[in-house]
Amino acid sequence: MYNPKSLKAEEFISHEEILSTLQFAEQNARNRAMIVAVLEKAKQHNGLTHSEASLLLACELPDLNEQLFSLAEQIKQEYYGNRIVLFAPLYLSNYCVNGCTYCPYHAKNKHIPRIKLTQEQIKKEVIALQDMGHKRLAIELGEDPVHNPIEYVLESLKTIYSIRHKNGAIRRVNVNIAATTVENYRKLHEAGIGTYILFQETYNKEAYEQLHPTGPKHNYAYHTEAMDRAMQGGIDDVGLGVLFGLSTYRYEFAGLLMHAEHLEAVHGVGPHTISFPRIKHADDIDPNAFSNAIDDDIFAKIIACTRIAVPYTGMIISTRESKETRERVLKYGISQISGGSRTSVGGYAEENNGSEQFDVSDNRTLDEVIRWLMKCGYIPSFCTACYRAGRTGDRFMEFCKNKQISNFCQPNALLTLQEYLEDYASPRTKEIGEELIEHELYSVPSAHRQEICRNWLIDIRHGKRDFRF
Ligand code: SAM
């Protein structure tokens, strides 16, 4: 039976509830009065339930679909303004005991090199990332209790946080590792991680079990209940995601929102972020073998409907997507993107060693990504202030809901962009950035904060670093 407050996967992600949600959405896909009523509710910017949002996703009326996209744009603007936060993935080890059929790191793949970075190699990767200008990382590892035990992850976190190369510093490390125990989540929390990210891959239990035929990841309930254990272990910020293409997108969308509702119902705070990966070609993986692939139009609609359903949740898109696709979906709700990414183990310090997890579609350098964002009217941000000031979990959500965000995030984005321009930008990027900062400073609502920010910007130009509100 469906129960969002239950701690049992099959009750908070109820298959029957998803099927009836999809049936309701399909039956009313042309029900103008009902869709208009949902859009009216959404205009209050307080979010929607999984069934209301599923109805919008199914909507077949072109004029209402247009309204839906422009509403997503408005909500994005209201809560996130034109700021886009930058990060990079850092692959530490591709040893893996699982059998995921879409991932080239699956245990049966004998011809990719298996690499686990030493602390010395991690140091080189981090220096290369700092030299690009990154301040925020997401570490990625396969699941392997022998090669990648929690102690290795903890030691690596310590190494990453400790490196200070020139003016560089990694100020927030998000962690994407397989589902684990409350005790291990507590250790990650104590090590000062940012968000704990775990993609559900698919919410459809039957499909899940087929796609994960072997290894600990086969256990659907253990995987699906991981975020509850993470929160019990003290982690406030968790990041959800499905790998689009594995099962039908409408099923995944309803499941994703039910998961968000569950976290809110049980822990009083929804997911900090939702990521939107689509299956890509990889070593022995052919994306065409997965029949549920979605096209760019549906992808954009999923992103717009998610923005409307969960207005305060950060939304992430990686370099799996091309420049064109990224440009399109940024305006409908994406708030964080990766840039200059390598998906191989050791790929930042070294040339390609054949250990990529998947092909990257956006191969531009971080400097090119920053320049492109600014030309598109966005403010690239390297801000990590909320996490460092303890504004996590429900405190972050409250802060968002009270619309405090523009008095904090806007100046913090400008300050961190100024650091990037001073330390890492090409002359052309710097020129565009300086103009943008001058112009955007006036959009900080508080005149007092504008003044402080202006002084700090001068200090940054004179070599000081790490100012934040
Ligand atoms: N091993 C960890 C786990 O079990 O959750 C997570 C780390 S894995 C490096 C990060 C994510 O990459 C996976 O959760 C999956 O969604 C995604 N991924 C795997 N194969 C992919 C592919 N061929 N194309 C795109 N994304 C893929």
Side-chain angles (χ1 to χ4, degrees):
M1 211 192 52
Y2 176 49
N3 177 8
K5 287 200 164 162
S6 165
L7 291 175
K8 284 196 182 140
E10 286 177 62
E11 292 179 1
F12 66 80
I13 306 292
S14 150
H15 179 62
E16 289 68 36
E17 172 65 18
I18 297 184
L19 293 186
S20 62
T21 298
L22 299 192
Q23 194 185 21
F24 158 80
E26 213 165 287
Q27 280 167 354
N28 291 292
R30 305 186 74 80
N31 183 337
R32 179 169 291 274
M34 197 181 271
I35 299 168
V36 166
V38 170
L39 282 169
E40 283 307 309
K41 180 181 172 195
K43 283 179 190 161
Q44 293 163 20
H45 298 191
N46 287 324
L48 294 177
T49 64
H50 63 272
S51 63
E52 291 162 341
S54 293
L55 176 63
L56 292 191
L57 186 63
C59 170
E60 289 171 7
L61 302 171
D63 59 320
L64 297 188
N65 277 332
E66 256 174 57
Q67 280 190 36
L68 170 171
F69 277 108
S70 69
L71 182 58
E73 270 189 76
Q74 282 167 31
I75 293 176
K76 157 98 197 275
Q77 189 56 35
E78 175 161 341
Y79 291 100
Y80 288 89
N82 53 350
R83 298 173 297 278
I84 300 289
V85 168
L86 274 303
F87 75 98
L90 171 58
Y91 284 75
L92 298 184
S93 167
N94 66 355
Y95 281 91
C96 194
V97 296
N98 285 315
C100 315
T101 57
Y102 48 84
C103 178
Y105 293 168
H106 65 87
K108 283 195 185 139
N109 188 348
K110 298 292 175 215
H111 64 275
I112 52 161
R114 297 289 168 172
I115 305 174
K116 172 186 171 182
L117 299 181
T118 62
Q119 299 307 308
E120 212 32 56
Q121 288 169 319
I122 292 175
K123 200 170 161 194
K124 284 192 185 140
E125 290 287 281
V126 172
I127 288 175
L129 282 156
Q130 289 187 1
D131 278 346
M132 289 160 71
H134 278 295
K135 299 280 186 273
R136 177 189 291 243
L137 303 180
I139 57 168
E140 312 277 340
L141 291 93
E143 179 167 14
D144 187 323
V146 174
H147 289 96
N148 312 333
I150 195 72
E151 291 72 25
Y152 172 68
V153 181
L154 298 172
E155 191 187 0
S156 305
L157 283 165
K158 220 181 233 177
T159 302
I160 296 168
Y161 278 130
S162 72
I163 296 164
R164 294 281 179 280
H165 174 68
K166 299 183 184 163
N167 282 334
I170 299 301
R171 297 174 182 158
R172 176 176 178 135
V173 185
N174 298 332
V175 173
N176 185 0
I177 60 164
T180 185
T181 59
V182 174
E183 195 187 315
N184 285 347
Y185 286 125
R186 189 160 291 122
K187 290 178 183 166
L188 289 172
H189 174 58
E190 283 161 7
I193 69 163
T195 310
Y196 171 63
I197 301 165
L198 180 67
F199 298 160
Q200 178 63 30
E201 319 300 7
T202 174
Y203 283 96
N204 184 320
K205 182 170 186 264
E206 202 184 318
Y208 182 95
E209 287 173 351
Q210 282 168 11
L211 291 155
H212 306 97
T214 54
K217 196 165 170 176
H218 178 72
N219 187 335
Y220 176 83
Y222 190 73
H223 187 81
T224 311
E225 293 159 9
M227 294 313 191
D228 296 293
R229 292 194 300 280
M231 286 186 156
Q232 282 163 27
I235 296 175
D236 280 338
D237 290 345
V238 298
L240 305 181
V242 294
L243 185 54
F244 283 101
L246 297 183
S247 183
T248 55
Y249 72 92
R250 288 185 185 172
Y251 193 105
E252 304 295 22
F253 180 76
L256 195 52
L257 292 183
M258 283 163 73
H259 201 171
E261 286 165 7
H262 161 72
L263 295 176
E264 179 94 45
V266 175
H267 307 281
V269 54
H272 188 66
T273 55
I274 298 179
S275 300
F276 294 85
R278 285 195 284 188
I279 299 186
K280 297 284 302 174
H281 170 266
D283 182 67
D284 65 348
I285 307 297
D286 173 9
N288 298 319
F290 296 85
S291 57
N292 292 306
I294 51 169
D295 65 25
D296 287 351
D297 291 341
I298 290 173
F299 192 55
K301 196 172 181 191
I302 291 171
I303 287 173
C305 290
T306 310
R307 181 70 297 151
I308 295 172
V310 285
Y312 323 118
T313 300
M315 289 169 61
I316 303 180
I317 196 148
S318 75
T319 56
R320 289 178 183 85
E321 300 298 335
S322 66
K323 167 178 176 274
E324 290 69 30
T325 305
R326 302 214 300 167
E327 192 160 326
R328 180 172 179 196
V329 296
L330 274 174
K331 69 174 184 216
Y332 299 133
I334 296 299
S335 55
Q336 288 188 31
I337 65 170
S338 47
S341 308
R342 299 275 185 284
T343 64
S344 50
V345 187
Y348 293 104
E350 267 177 34
E351 277 306 294
N352 188 351
N353 55 21
S355 69
E356 290 81 15
Q357 195 195 14
F358 48 78
D359 292 355
V360 160
S361 295
D362 185 342
N363 284 299
R364 291 172 296 168
T365 63
L366 183 61
D367 189 73
E368 286 166 338
V369 170
I370 298 293
R371 195 158 62 231
W372 159 76
L373 283 174
M374 295 192 295
K375 282 187 175 162
C376 296
Y378 296 106
I379 309 174
S381 171
F382 291 90
C383 181
T384 53
C386 279
Y387 146 78
R388 294 166 79 213
R391 293 190 293 263
T392 57
D394 52 355
R395 289 173 300 282
F396 174 77
M397 292 298 167
E398 269 314 302
F399 167 83
C400 263
K401 289 177 191 169
N402 296 334
K403 311 219 175 92
Q404 273 306 310
I405 209 159
S406 42
N407 263 324
F408 286 82
C409 302
Q410 187 79 354
N412 286 338
L414 300 177
L415 291 163
T416 55
L417 177 60
Q418 185 73 53
E419 289 186 338
Y420 176 83
L421 299 179
E422 293 302 318
D423 292 336
Y424 310 105
S426 64
R428 182 71 190 121
T429 302
K430 187 164 183 192
E431 199 181 311
I432 298 172
E434 296 281 3
E435 262 174 46
L436 178 128
I437 290 173
E438 195 49 42
H439 173 75
E440 290 287 349
L441 193 52
Y442 294 102
S443 56
V444 175
S446 147
H448 180 57
R449 293 214 157 189
Q450 263 184 41
E451 193 50 38
I452 300 174
C453 187
R454 188 177 289 285
N455 290 331
W456 284 351
L457 287 166
I458 296 169
D459 288 342
I460 292 171
R461 287 188 200 111
H462 289 134
K464 290 201 185 146
R465 294 290 175 269
D466 205 11
F467 295 95
R468 63 184 151 91
F469 288 98

